[in-house]
Each structure stands twice: as C-alpha cells, then as structure tokens.
Amino acid sequence: MFVEIITPDRKVFSAEASVVTLPGVNGSFQILNDHAALVSTLKKGLLTADKESFQIEGGVVEVLNNKVLILAEGVN
C-alpha cells in the first residue's frame, strides 16, 4: 500500500509499505494491505511504516483503496 505522511509545512514520507502502526487516541493499531476504509484521530506517539519510524505530535489518518494518508500536526 502507498503511505504518505504530511505536516502543515512539508511532506515527510512517501513510499510503499506492507504494514503501518499508528498511535490512535484509543490505543495503537495497525493498517495492512486491503484494509477497510477508515478515518481516525491520532495522538502523540510513535508511527512506523515497515522499518521507518517517526515521532508524531498527533493528527488524523485516512485509509482508502490501499492508500494511507497521515496528516500529522508535527513530526520529530
């Protein structure tokens, strides 16, 4: 699936990944290929896409048609 991480001022990450782990407001969760459509809020925490890791400041994720778009408030 295609994964993009975007902040208000830049594109942080854009690549194919087989698994994405996200810090959801109600706990950590994973997205795999062919996941159902989803929109969820994210809290501050660790986001991983395969072997890449990012510390995000919260945000929103949208999953649709094997595309994962993360709109992060900030990435360290």
Side-chain angles (χ1 to χ4, degrees), residues 7-65:
T7 65
D9 57 341
R10 66 187 173 108
K11 184 184 289 189
V12 177
F13 180 78
S14 179
E16 291 287 324
S18 58
V19 62
V20 179
T21 304
L22 301 155
V25 183
N26 295 321
S28 181
F29 63 98
Q30 288 187 326
I31 305 294
L32 302 171
N33 266 341
D34 298 320
H35 196 283
L38 168 80
V39 173
S40 181
T41 54
L42 303 173
K43 67 178 183 178
K44 182 177 182 176
L46 185 66
L47 180 155
T48 60
D50 285 342
K51 296 183 181 186
E52 298 286 331
S53 296
F54 306 91
Q55 191 69 32
I56 65 168
E57 298 297 320
V60 177
V61 61
E62 177 191 53
V63 180
L64 186 62
N65 299 326

